[in-house]
Amino acid sequence: AQSVTQPDIHITVSEGASLELRCNYSYGATPYLFWYVQSPGQGLQLLLKYFSGDTLVQGIKGFEAEFKRSQSSFNLRKPSVHWSDAAEYFCAVGAKAGTALIFGKGTTLSVSS
Amino acid sequence: GAGVSQSPRYKVTKRGQDVALRCDPISGHVSLYWYRQALGQGPEFLTYFNYEAQQDKSGLPNDRFSAERPEGSISTLTIQRTEQRDSAMYRCASSLPGAETQYFGPGTRLLVL
């Protein structure tokens, strides 16, 4: 069955510290991988995506993610977290255009000062 | 418009009433998706349109749920005889023709009393 697992429900990171949010997927076809962020009262904003090519992809707001096929993972990273990064983060997997995205349950990030 | 818009943003209704949720996609986006997000969960696919044609409705939970997009632009998701378990955030997304990336609106928060 196709699925996305985000093992961490809630993570707290100190401001300025590095961040890694984990995502593992199970998908039969070649996956397209996405990270979205949801801030309070906002819609889901696309942070970055991976379709093919270089397995390290850069996104907005200083985020990056690395695709590791052998581990079926697509972890999100940021070298230095800002208080404004506090939000809920969703990993998603899809296939070709016109197919549904499958989302993980999300990881809530809190940033402490 | 600049992004996907949804209305109303919040809807409170009594059990047994019908509700209609509206989605206005990004101009030029011919693909439109509906998702439902329960509290503490990631979005789950409901249905998908390409232009005015409903291509996939496999995620609609039962026959109380229906969607239409008669002119290939604005879409309406209708829930008949609402039940408390229908309470959730309903999200709409759109994408360019043949594109895998979906752009989400702010959602409609539905509360059924």
Side-chain angles (χ1 to χ4, degrees):
Chain A
Q2 301 166 350
S3 65
V4 175
T5 301
Q6 295 181 246
D8 304 304
I9 296 174
H10 191 190
I11 285 182
T12 298
V13 174
S14 298
E15 191 169 15
S18 64
L19 168 71
E20 182 169 31
L21 301 182
R22 296 182 291 166
C23 172
N24 293 95
Y25 66 90
S26 173
Y27 203 76
T30 301
Y32 295 92
L33 295 157
F34 305 83
W35 275 98
Y36 286 87
V37 61
Q38 178 180 300
S39 300
Q42 303 295 315
L44 288 168
Q45 182 182 20
L46 180 68
L47 281 177
L48 47 76
K49 60 190 177 185
Y50 172 78
F51 293 166
S52 64
D54 191 347
T55 56
L56 184 64
V57 293
Q58 303 297 319
I60 61 171
K61 304 184 180 184
F63 285 92
E64 65 178 26
E66 185 171 12
F67 171 59
K68 293 185 177 180
R69 185 184 298 275
S70 62
Q71 299 177 19
S72 296
S73 70
F74 188 57
N75 294 349
L76 182 71
R77 301 195 294 247
K78 186 169 185 178
S80 177
V81 168
H82 187 262
W83 63 267
S84 60
D85 293 324
E88 191 165 18
Y89 292 81
F90 291 94
C91 180
V93 63
K96 59 182 173 66
T99 57
L101 293 179
I102 298 170
F103 285 83
K105 293 186 176 182
T107 298
T108 298
L109 172 66
S110 297
V111 180
S112 61
S113 56
Chain B
V4 178
S5 60
Q6 293 185 246
S7 61
R9 293 291 304 276
Y10 303 92
K11 177 70 177 179
V12 181
T13 190
K14 293 183 179 179
R15 187 178 52 189
Q17 297 295 307
D18 298 350
V19 296
L21 311 180
R22 172 186 162 124
C23 172
D24 193 351
I26 295 171
S27 177
H29 283 201
V30 302
S31 300
L32 186 147
Y33 306 78
W34 283 100
Y35 291 81
R36 179 170 68 172
Q37 184 176 3
L39 208 58
Q41 303 293 319
E44 293 184 341
F45 171 77
L46 295 175
T47 186
Y48 153 65
F49 289 85
N50 214 21
Y51 296 96
E52 71 282 359
Q54 191 170 20
Q55 302 286 351
D56 183 354
K57 55 181 182 179
S58 61
L60 296 176
N62 52 60
D63 60 8
R64 294 187 298 106
F65 287 74
S66 63
E68 63 174 10
R69 194 186 184 197
E71 297 180 0
S73 179
I74 293 170
S75 176
T76 302
L77 177 70
T78 301
I79 309 173
Q80 295 179 313
R81 305 180 303 280
T82 52
E83 301 177 5
Q84 288 183 328
R85 60 178 172 157
D86 299 333
S87 297
M89 175 74 82
Y90 289 82
R91 296 196 182 274
C92 175
S94 68
S95 67
L96 286 165
E100 296 79 12
T101 302
Q102 298 176 24
Y103 296 90
F104 284 81
T108 294
R109 172 75 68 187
L110 174 66
L111 177 61
V112 182
L113 302 176

